[in-house]
Amino acid sequence: MSSFTPKWLAAREPVDARSRAASLVDSLRERLVPHEALAAVDLGAGTGANFRYLAPRLGGLQHWQLVDDDPRLLAAAGNLTRAWAESLGAAYSETENGFALAGKSFESRVRLVTMNLAADLAELAWPESALVTGSALLDLVSESWLRRVAARCRDSTATVLFALTYDGRMHIQPADAGDAQVRMLVNRHQRTDKGFGPALGPTAPDTAAKTLAECGYQVVREPSDWRLGSDDQELRAMLLDGWSRAAATLEGADHGALELWHNRRSRALDNPGTEFLVGHEDLLAWPAAL
Ligand SMILES: C[S@@+](CC[C@H](N)C(=O)[O-])C[C@H]1O[C@@H](n2cnc3c(N)ncnc32)[C@H](O)[C@@H]1O
């Protein structure tokens, strides 16, 4: 069971959607072969937010694999997608291993795959020239795992889209004297092992771009920062809790100072003009030879 709850993924989904670099998805769509079915694999798919974002924007016939090691999240992906499909007027049906959708401009067959990608990546098959994608994943993985994925992508001439990779920037305005310490601790926590070996954390955007370029990829990067205002109170409160908890697990953390920071920051959430920025980056890459 992963530490990512359906509640957390639901709180971030609309913010992710408005923050993502739409221009990269436009470029991706232009690269698709017209009238040919798209094969896509979503690594660390969680409850399916990346699929729901991409499927209508890419259009056409699509065969997806949503891969995650948490069966509870994949089960929620089916239920959430059913409700989402209804809101779009798309037909939803369950299949033996997932679900199928028929919308106005897209038709998707989705297979839900429960797999530990850290241990069993080699067992995950995807066709030639597939889209390999993931959102909010790369900062969790290690450099060696990323290298293995990039090599598999190169060998299968995959197109690659990784969205919402955290880049180490977390800023709250107006500033508080404790912010820099919390940011330093959170970014240290980001580098700890999340199951894939030492995590890339804030180095993930640069490392991913470099690794894919070394594998012969043309890489385009765009910011996808979260900017959170007074309409995003639930997510902002969850961030404060998560940052405090993560910082407190580190050796040398001053628990008293963290609690005071959390209290001050929670009280300031209702102040007009409080703004959060969480730095993210999206990356689109395709084999340079194509
Ligand atoms: C931050 S969440 C992002 C989920 C989803 N992509 C989204 O954007 O909402 C990271 C996801 O990676 C999955 N994950 C973490 N470690 C994994 C592993 N070893 N194998 C497969 N999935 C993993 C988690 O279960 C979680 O769903």
Side-chain angles (χ1 to χ4, degrees):
M1 208 85 92
S2 86
S3 55
F4 300 96
T5 62
K7 189 176 174 209
W8 164 249
L9 298 180
R12 60 175 297 163
E13 182 167 353
V15 178
D16 283 342
R18 73 172 192 237
S19 307
R20 290 179 65 147
S23 63
L24 294 189
V25 181
D26 292 342
S27 303
L28 170 60
R29 193 179 46 247
E30 283 160 18
R31 300 194 67 79
L32 300 180
V33 182
H35 312 300
E36 209 168 272
L38 168 72
V41 52
D42 185 8
L43 305 176
T47 56
N50 190 31
F51 162 74
R52 286 187 291 279
Y53 180 82
L54 289 173
R57 288 170 173 84
L58 295 179
L61 180 60
Q62 311 163 358
H63 296 276
W64 283 81
Q65 296 186 74
L66 269 51
V67 188
D68 205 283
D69 65 345
D70 189 337
R72 177 192 56 154
L73 297 181
L74 290 176
N79 294 331
L80 287 169
T81 304
R82 178 197 294 270
W84 171 80
E86 273 169 21
S87 74
L88 287 182
Y92 174 99
S93 54
E94 271 180 22
T95 61
E96 197 187 335
N97 49 25
F99 52 85
L101 290 179
K104 279 200 190 76
S105 62
F106 70 101
E107 201 175 316
S108 311
R109 316 247 164 87
V110 179
R111 191 153 78 91
L112 301 172
V113 181
T114 305
M115 176 181 281
N116 180 343
L117 286 164
D120 302 327
L121 178 68
E123 286 168 30
L124 179 64
W126 61 74
E128 276 290 303
S129 307
L131 167 66
V132 174
T133 182
S135 63
L137 177 74
L138 288 192
D139 39 272
L140 304 176
V141 310
S142 62
E143 182 164 357
S144 63
W145 188 84
L146 178 66
R147 284 190 182 286
R148 286 166 57 208
V149 170
R152 291 273 315 270
C153 288
R154 177 199 58 212
D155 294 347
S156 61
T157 54
T159 301
V160 176
L161 177 70
F162 284 115
L164 296 153
T165 307
Y166 175 63
D167 71 3
R169 289 173 300 135
M170 43 171 278
H171 299 287
I172 307 178
Q173 292 299 337
D176 176 280
D179 289 351
Q181 179 69 4
V182 175
R183 183 167 51 249
M184 187 273 288
L185 290 169
V186 168
N187 284 341
R188 243 176 71 201
H189 183 268
Q190 278 273 319
R191 303 298 310 268
T192 59
D193 191 340
K194 310 292 185 312
F196 292 84
L200 287 168
T203 66
D206 286 347
T207 307
K210 184 167 166 282
T211 304
L212 284 160
E214 284 169 3
C215 284
Y217 273 82
Q218 179 85 38
V219 177
V220 184
R221 305 163 67 173
E222 289 289 343
S224 51
D225 296 342
W226 282 356
R227 292 173 190 280
L228 307 177
S230 54
D231 290 341
D232 306 305
Q233 290 295 47
E234 187 193 11
L235 186 59
R236 299 201 304 184
M238 290 170 102
L239 280 173
L240 294 182
D241 293 348
W243 288 335
S244 299
R245 261 201 314 273
T249 61
L250 293 178
E251 212 179 292
D254 180 339
H255 290 217
L258 279 173
E259 196 179 333
L260 289 173
W261 177 85
H262 184 272
N263 290 345
R264 285 196 306 279
R265 275 299 179 205
S266 299
R267 278 198 304 274
L269 278 182
D270 288 328
N271 294 351
T274 298
E275 297 284 347
F276 284 40
L277 181 144
V278 183
H280 292 113
E281 193 177 287
D282 291 4
L283 170 155
L284 174 68
W286 60 91
L290 292 186

mmCIF file of all heavy atoms in Angstrom, residues 2 4 8-9 12 16 42-50 67-70 73 115-119 134-137 140 164 194-196, ligand 1:
data_model
loop_
_atom_site.group_PDB
_atom_site.id
_atom_site.type_symbol
_atom_site.label_atom_id
_atom_site.label_comp_id
_atom_site.label_asym_id
_atom_site.label_seq_id
_atom_site.Cartn_x
_atom_site.Cartn_y
_atom_site.Cartn_z
ATOM 1 N N SER A 2 0.658 2.172 -0.932
ATOM 2 C CA SER A 2 1.523 3.358 -0.983
ATOM 3 C C SER A 2 1.049 4.384 0.049
ATOM 4 O O SER A 2 -0.033 4.286 0.614
ATOM 5 C CB SER A 2 1.509 3.971 -2.385
ATOM 6 O OG SER A 2 0.431 4.854 -2.522
ATOM 7 N N PHE A 4 0.331 7.339 -0.678
ATOM 8 C CA PHE A 4 -0.476 8.348 -1.386
ATOM 9 C C PHE A 4 -1.940 7.966 -1.244
ATOM 10 O O PHE A 4 -2.354 6.924 -1.737
ATOM 11 C CB PHE A 4 -0.060 8.422 -2.856
ATOM 12 C CG PHE A 4 1.376 8.804 -3.003
ATOM 13 C CD1 PHE A 4 2.348 7.833 -3.159
ATOM 14 C CD2 PHE A 4 1.773 10.125 -2.933
ATOM 15 C CE1 PHE A 4 3.689 8.179 -3.259
ATOM 16 C CE2 PHE A 4 3.105 10.481 -3.026
ATOM 17 C CZ PHE A 4 4.070 9.507 -3.191
ATOM 18 N N TRP A 8 -5.583 12.700 -1.017
ATOM 19 C CA TRP A 8 -4.500 13.591 -1.468
ATOM 20 C C TRP A 8 -4.516 13.719 -2.998
ATOM 21 O O TRP A 8 -4.435 14.818 -3.552
ATOM 22 C CB TRP A 8 -3.152 13.040 -0.962
ATOM 23 C CG TRP A 8 -1.951 13.623 -1.645
ATOM 24 C CD1 TRP A 8 -1.100 12.972 -2.499
ATOM 25 C CD2 TRP A 8 -1.452 14.978 -1.559
ATOM 26 N NE1 TRP A 8 -0.109 13.835 -2.935
ATOM 27 C CE2 TRP A 8 -0.307 15.062 -2.375
ATOM 28 C CE3 TRP A 8 -1.895 16.120 -0.874
ATOM 29 C CZ2 TRP A 8 0.424 16.236 -2.530
ATOM 30 C CZ3 TRP A 8 -1.149 17.300 -1.033
ATOM 31 C CH2 TRP A 8 -0.014 17.350 -1.847
ATOM 32 N N LEU A 9 -4.671 12.576 -3.677
ATOM 33 C CA LEU A 9 -4.644 12.619 -5.149
ATOM 34 C C LEU A 9 -5.865 13.377 -5.687
ATOM 35 O O LEU A 9 -5.758 14.102 -6.676
ATOM 36 C CB LEU A 9 -4.567 11.201 -5.728
ATOM 37 C CG LEU A 9 -3.292 10.414 -5.332
ATOM 38 C CD1 LEU A 9 -3.303 9.017 -5.946
ATOM 39 C CD2 LEU A 9 -2.026 11.159 -5.743
ATOM 40 N N ARG A 12 -5.265 17.150 -5.331
ATOM 41 C CA ARG A 12 -4.313 17.756 -6.261
ATOM 42 C C ARG A 12 -4.770 17.702 -7.725
ATOM 43 O O ARG A 12 -4.266 18.466 -8.554
ATOM 44 C CB ARG A 12 -2.914 17.166 -6.082
ATOM 45 C CG ARG A 12 -2.788 15.658 -6.313
ATOM 46 C CD ARG A 12 -1.316 15.213 -6.227
ATOM 47 N NE ARG A 12 -0.529 15.844 -7.284
ATOM 48 C CZ ARG A 12 0.785 15.926 -7.314
ATOM 49 N NH1 ARG A 12 1.501 15.410 -6.336
ATOM 50 N NH2 ARG A 12 1.413 16.488 -8.324
ATOM 51 N N ASP A 16 -3.370 20.159 -10.476
ATOM 52 C CA ASP A 16 -2.446 19.613 -11.481
ATOM 53 C C ASP A 16 -2.933 19.964 -12.892
ATOM 54 O O ASP A 16 -2.156 20.391 -13.749
ATOM 55 C CB ASP A 16 -2.360 18.085 -11.353
ATOM 56 C CG ASP A 16 -1.489 17.638 -10.177
ATOM 57 O OD1 ASP A 16 -0.701 18.448 -9.671
ATOM 58 O OD2 ASP A 16 -1.601 16.460 -9.781
ATOM 59 N N ASP A 42 1.070 4.449 -18.362
ATOM 60 C CA ASP A 42 1.139 5.494 -17.334
ATOM 61 C C ASP A 42 1.795 4.880 -16.099
ATOM 62 O O ASP A 42 1.190 4.041 -15.417
ATOM 63 C CB ASP A 42 -0.285 5.994 -17.031
ATOM 64 C CG ASP A 42 -0.293 7.169 -16.054
ATOM 65 O OD1 ASP A 42 0.790 7.695 -15.718
ATOM 66 O OD2 ASP A 42 -1.398 7.559 -15.624
ATOM 67 N N LEU A 43 3.026 5.295 -15.817
ATOM 68 C CA LEU A 43 3.798 4.725 -14.712
ATOM 69 C C LEU A 43 3.425 5.439 -13.410
ATOM 70 O O LEU A 43 3.438 6.663 -13.357
ATOM 71 C CB LEU A 43 5.299 4.891 -14.989
ATOM 72 C CG LEU A 43 5.800 4.320 -16.321
ATOM 73 C CD1 LEU A 43 7.289 4.651 -16.516
ATOM 74 C CD2 LEU A 43 5.582 2.809 -16.379
ATOM 75 N N GLY A 44 3.090 4.684 -12.373
ATOM 76 C CA GLY A 44 2.670 5.296 -11.107
ATOM 77 C C GLY A 44 1.366 6.040 -11.299
ATOM 78 O O GLY A 44 1.218 7.203 -10.926
ATOM 79 N N ALA A 45 0.376 5.340 -11.880
ATOM 80 C CA ALA A 45 -0.858 5.993 -12.343
ATOM 81 C C ALA A 45 -1.771 6.432 -11.214
ATOM 82 O O ALA A 45 -2.645 7.283 -11.419
ATOM 83 C CB ALA A 45 -1.614 5.051 -13.267
ATOM 84 N N GLY A 46 -1.606 5.859 -10.019
ATOM 85 C CA GLY A 46 -2.460 6.249 -8.891
ATOM 86 C C GLY A 46 -3.924 6.045 -9.210
ATOM 87 O O GLY A 46 -4.351 4.963 -9.631
ATOM 88 N N THR A 47 -4.727 7.087 -9.040
ATOM 89 C CA THR A 47 -6.168 6.980 -9.304
ATOM 90 C C THR A 47 -6.531 7.430 -10.725
ATOM 91 O O THR A 47 -7.696 7.679 -11.017
ATOM 92 C CB THR A 47 -6.970 7.809 -8.280
ATOM 93 O OG1 THR A 47 -6.486 9.156 -8.331
ATOM 94 C CG2 THR A 47 -6.805 7.286 -6.870
ATOM 95 N N GLY A 48 -5.525 7.577 -11.593
ATOM 96 C CA GLY A 48 -5.803 7.789 -13.017
ATOM 97 C C GLY A 48 -5.892 9.236 -13.472
ATOM 98 O O GLY A 48 -6.373 9.516 -14.578
ATOM 99 N N ALA A 49 -5.400 10.179 -12.664
ATOM 100 C CA ALA A 49 -5.532 11.599 -13.031
ATOM 101 C C ALA A 49 -4.816 11.922 -14.346
ATOM 102 O O ALA A 49 -5.322 12.717 -15.158
ATOM 103 C CB ALA A 49 -4.980 12.484 -11.908
ATOM 104 N N ASN A 50 -3.666 11.326 -14.567
ATOM 105 C CA ASN A 50 -2.900 11.613 -15.793
ATOM 106 C C ASN A 50 -3.676 11.117 -17.021
ATOM 107 O O ASN A 50 -3.760 11.812 -18.040
ATOM 108 C CB ASN A 50 -1.531 10.926 -15.682
ATOM 109 C CG ASN A 50 -0.553 11.347 -16.763
ATOM 110 O OD1 ASN A 50 -0.588 12.476 -17.252
ATOM 111 N ND2 ASN A 50 0.326 10.439 -17.140
ATOM 112 N N VAL A 67 -0.379 1.685 -14.498
ATOM 113 C CA VAL A 67 0.436 0.791 -13.668
ATOM 114 C C VAL A 67 0.707 1.440 -12.316
ATOM 115 O O VAL A 67 1.164 2.594 -12.256
ATOM 116 C CB VAL A 67 1.792 0.503 -14.363
ATOM 117 C CG1 VAL A 67 2.552 -0.588 -13.602
ATOM 118 C CG2 VAL A 67 1.595 0.130 -15.821
ATOM 119 N N ASP A 68 0.441 0.706 -11.258
ATOM 120 C CA ASP A 68 0.723 1.205 -9.912
ATOM 121 C C ASP A 68 0.878 -0.011 -9.005
ATOM 122 O O ASP A 68 0.348 -1.082 -9.304
ATOM 123 C CB ASP A 68 -0.428 2.092 -9.411
ATOM 124 C CG ASP A 68 0.034 3.091 -8.364
ATOM 125 O OD1 ASP A 68 0.228 2.692 -7.195
ATOM 126 O OD2 ASP A 68 0.204 4.287 -8.707
ATOM 127 N N ASP A 69 1.608 0.165 -7.901
ATOM 128 C CA ASP A 69 1.750 -0.983 -6.982
ATOM 129 C C ASP A 69 0.645 -0.996 -5.934
ATOM 130 O O ASP A 69 0.617 -1.897 -5.107
ATOM 131 C CB ASP A 69 3.137 -1.006 -6.321
ATOM 132 C CG ASP A 69 3.383 0.187 -5.400
ATOM 133 O OD1 ASP A 69 2.619 1.171 -5.471
ATOM 134 O OD2 ASP A 69 4.355 0.135 -4.620
ATOM 135 N N ASP A 70 -0.251 -0.015 -5.961
ATOM 136 C CA ASP A 70 -1.289 0.077 -4.934
ATOM 137 C C ASP A 70 -2.654 -0.264 -5.551
ATOM 138 O O ASP A 70 -3.271 0.568 -6.226
ATOM 139 C CB ASP A 70 -1.313 1.490 -4.345
ATOM 140 C CG ASP A 70 -2.216 1.587 -3.121
ATOM 141 O OD1 ASP A 70 -3.130 0.745 -2.991
ATOM 142 O OD2 ASP A 70 -1.996 2.500 -2.313
ATOM 143 N N LEU A 73 -5.571 2.177 -5.049
ATOM 144 C CA LEU A 73 -5.627 3.372 -5.908
ATOM 145 C C LEU A 73 -6.150 3.007 -7.295
ATOM 146 O O LEU A 73 -6.950 3.750 -7.876
ATOM 147 C CB LEU A 73 -4.240 4.035 -6.014
ATOM 148 C CG LEU A 73 -3.661 4.584 -4.708
ATOM 149 C CD1 LEU A 73 -2.300 5.227 -4.960
ATOM 150 C CD2 LEU A 73 -4.604 5.599 -4.067
ATOM 151 N N MET A 115 1.584 -3.536 -10.149
ATOM 152 C CA MET A 115 2.978 -3.973 -10.290
ATOM 153 C C MET A 115 3.874 -3.037 -9.502
ATOM 154 O O MET A 115 3.682 -1.816 -9.519
ATOM 155 C CB MET A 115 3.363 -3.919 -11.778
ATOM 156 C CG MET A 115 4.818 -4.249 -12.036
ATOM 157 S SD MET A 115 5.238 -4.143 -13.785
ATOM 158 C CE MET A 115 4.579 -5.685 -14.386
ATOM 159 N N ASN A 116 4.868 -3.631 -8.833
ATOM 160 C CA ASN A 116 5.891 -2.818 -8.185
ATOM 161 C C ASN A 116 6.929 -2.452 -9.255
ATOM 162 O O ASN A 116 7.743 -3.285 -9.655
ATOM 163 C CB ASN A 116 6.533 -3.602 -7.036
ATOM 164 C CG ASN A 116 7.600 -2.780 -6.341
ATOM 165 O OD1 ASN A 116 8.077 -1.776 -6.871
ATOM 166 N ND2 ASN A 116 7.973 -3.206 -5.152
ATOM 167 N N LEU A 117 6.882 -1.207 -9.680
ATOM 168 C CA LEU A 117 7.748 -0.781 -10.794
ATOM 169 C C LEU A 117 9.218 -0.725 -10.382
ATOM 170 O O LEU A 117 10.095 -0.762 -11.246
ATOM 171 C CB LEU A 117 7.296 0.584 -11.306
ATOM 172 C CG LEU A 117 6.011 0.560 -12.131
ATOM 173 C CD1 LEU A 117 5.432 1.967 -12.272
ATOM 174 C CD2 LEU A 117 6.275 -0.054 -13.504
ATOM 175 N N ALA A 118 9.478 -0.606 -9.098
ATOM 176 C CA ALA A 118 10.877 -0.582 -8.662
ATOM 177 C C ALA A 118 11.497 -1.959 -8.852
ATOM 178 O O ALA A 118 12.623 -2.082 -9.342
ATOM 179 C CB ALA A 118 10.954 -0.157 -7.202
ATOM 180 N N ALA A 119 10.729 -2.997 -8.490
ATOM 181 C CA ALA A 119 11.274 -4.359 -8.527
ATOM 182 C C ALA A 119 11.071 -5.025 -9.889
ATOM 183 O O ALA A 119 11.916 -5.806 -10.340
ATOM 184 C CB ALA A 119 10.610 -5.200 -7.436
ATOM 185 N N GLY A 134 3.966 9.643 -17.130
ATOM 186 C CA GLY A 134 3.809 9.566 -15.683
ATOM 187 C C GLY A 134 3.599 10.983 -15.182
ATOM 188 O O GLY A 134 4.051 11.942 -15.808
ATOM 189 N N SER A 135 2.878 11.107 -14.078
ATOM 190 C CA SER A 135 2.752 12.441 -13.491
ATOM 191 C C SER A 135 3.033 12.349 -11.997
ATOM 192 O O SER A 135 2.663 11.364 -11.342
ATOM 193 C CB SER A 135 1.364 13.045 -13.765
ATOM 194 O OG SER A 135 0.355 12.286 -13.167
ATOM 195 N N ALA A 136 3.730 13.365 -11.511
ATOM 196 C CA ALA A 136 4.110 13.427 -10.090
ATOM 197 C C ALA A 136 4.860 12.171 -9.669
ATOM 198 O O ALA A 136 4.613 11.614 -8.599
ATOM 199 C CB ALA A 136 2.863 13.640 -9.226
ATOM 200 N N LEU A 137 5.731 11.697 -10.528
ATOM 201 C CA LEU A 137 6.451 10.447 -10.244
ATOM 202 C C LEU A 137 7.963 10.628 -10.137
ATOM 203 O O LEU A 137 8.606 10.070 -9.250
ATOM 204 C CB LEU A 137 6.149 9.415 -11.358
ATOM 205 C CG LEU A 137 6.902 8.092 -11.189
ATOM 206 C CD1 LEU A 137 6.298 7.270 -10.052
ATOM 207 C CD2 LEU A 137 6.911 7.267 -12.476
ATOM 208 N N LEU A 140 10.236 10.888 -7.100
ATOM 209 C CA LEU A 140 10.258 9.753 -6.164
ATOM 210 C C LEU A 140 11.290 8.702 -6.538
ATOM 211 O O LEU A 140 11.642 7.856 -5.725
ATOM 212 C CB LEU A 140 8.893 9.040 -6.167
ATOM 213 C CG LEU A 140 7.645 9.841 -5.854
ATOM 214 C CD1 LEU A 140 6.407 8.962 -6.006
ATOM 215 C CD2 LEU A 140 7.724 10.378 -4.440
ATOM 216 N N LEU A 164 4.639 17.354 -13.953
ATOM 217 C CA LEU A 164 4.505 17.697 -12.534
ATOM 218 C C LEU A 164 5.604 17.094 -11.671
ATOM 219 O O LEU A 164 5.357 16.497 -10.622
ATOM 220 C CB LEU A 164 3.116 17.263 -12.038
ATOM 221 C CG LEU A 164 1.997 18.029 -12.762
ATOM 222 C CD1 LEU A 164 0.720 17.226 -12.808
ATOM 223 C CD2 LEU A 164 1.771 19.380 -12.101
ATOM 224 N N LYS A 194 12.232 6.304 -1.624
ATOM 225 C CA LYS A 194 10.767 6.131 -1.673
ATOM 226 C C LYS A 194 10.425 4.765 -2.290
ATOM 227 O O LYS A 194 9.335 4.589 -2.830
ATOM 228 C CB LYS A 194 10.122 7.260 -2.501
ATOM 229 C CG LYS A 194 10.550 8.682 -2.133
ATOM 230 C CD LYS A 194 10.064 9.112 -0.771
ATOM 231 C CE LYS A 194 10.365 10.561 -0.417
ATOM 232 N NZ LYS A 194 11.700 11.057 -0.632
ATOM 233 N N GLY A 195 11.389 3.866 -2.234
ATOM 234 C CA GLY A 195 11.143 2.518 -2.748
ATOM 235 C C GLY A 195 11.912 2.194 -4.014
ATOM 236 O O GLY A 195 11.948 1.041 -4.452
ATOM 237 N N PHE A 196 12.535 3.210 -4.626
ATOM 238 C CA PHE A 196 13.269 3.014 -5.882
ATOM 239 C C PHE A 196 14.780 3.183 -5.679
ATOM 240 O O PHE A 196 15.523 3.262 -6.634
ATOM 241 C CB PHE A 196 12.835 4.056 -6.926
ATOM 242 C CG PHE A 196 11.423 3.906 -7.417
ATOM 243 C CD1 PHE A 196 10.357 4.449 -6.725
ATOM 244 C CD2 PHE A 196 11.147 3.229 -8.605
ATOM 245 C CE1 PHE A 196 9.059 4.335 -7.182
ATOM 246 C CE2 PHE A 196 9.854 3.107 -9.081
ATOM 247 C CZ PHE A 196 8.803 3.653 -8.368
HETATM 248 C C1 LIG B 1 2.434 11.264 -6.302
HETATM 249 S S1 LIG B 1 1.532 9.864 -6.753
HETATM 250 C C2 LIG B 1 1.018 10.310 -8.403
HETATM 251 C C3 LIG B 1 -0.178 9.532 -8.863
HETATM 252 C C4 LIG B 1 -0.736 9.956 -10.231
HETATM 253 N N1 LIG B 1 0.245 9.804 -11.280
HETATM 254 C C5 LIG B 1 -1.257 11.378 -10.178
HETATM 255 O O1 LIG B 1 -0.667 12.239 -10.851
HETATM 256 O O2 LIG B 1 -2.240 11.624 -9.467
HETATM 257 C C6 LIG B 1 2.799 8.640 -7.073
HETATM 258 C C7 LIG B 1 2.247 7.297 -7.472
HETATM 259 O O3 LIG B 1 3.336 6.388 -7.671
HETATM 260 C C8 LIG B 1 2.953 5.129 -7.160
HETATM 261 N N2 LIG B 1 4.159 4.358 -6.814
HETATM 262 C C9 LIG B 1 5.087 4.667 -5.872
HETATM 263 N N3 LIG B 1 6.015 3.706 -5.819
HETATM 264 C C10 LIG B 1 5.667 2.765 -6.755
HETATM 265 C C11 LIG B 1 6.230 1.534 -7.171
HETATM 266 N N4 LIG B 1 7.343 1.055 -6.611
HETATM 267 N N5 LIG B 1 5.618 0.854 -8.160
HETATM 268 C C12 LIG B 1 4.480 1.339 -8.737
HETATM 269 N N6 LIG B 1 3.902 2.484 -8.382
HETATM 270 C C13 LIG B 1 4.483 3.199 -7.395
HETATM 271 C C14 LIG B 1 2.118 5.466 -5.932
HETATM 272 O O4 LIG B 1 1.296 4.394 -5.509
HETATM 273 C C15 LIG B 1 1.343 6.674 -6.421
HETATM 274 O O5 LIG B 1 0.137 6.302 -7.010
#
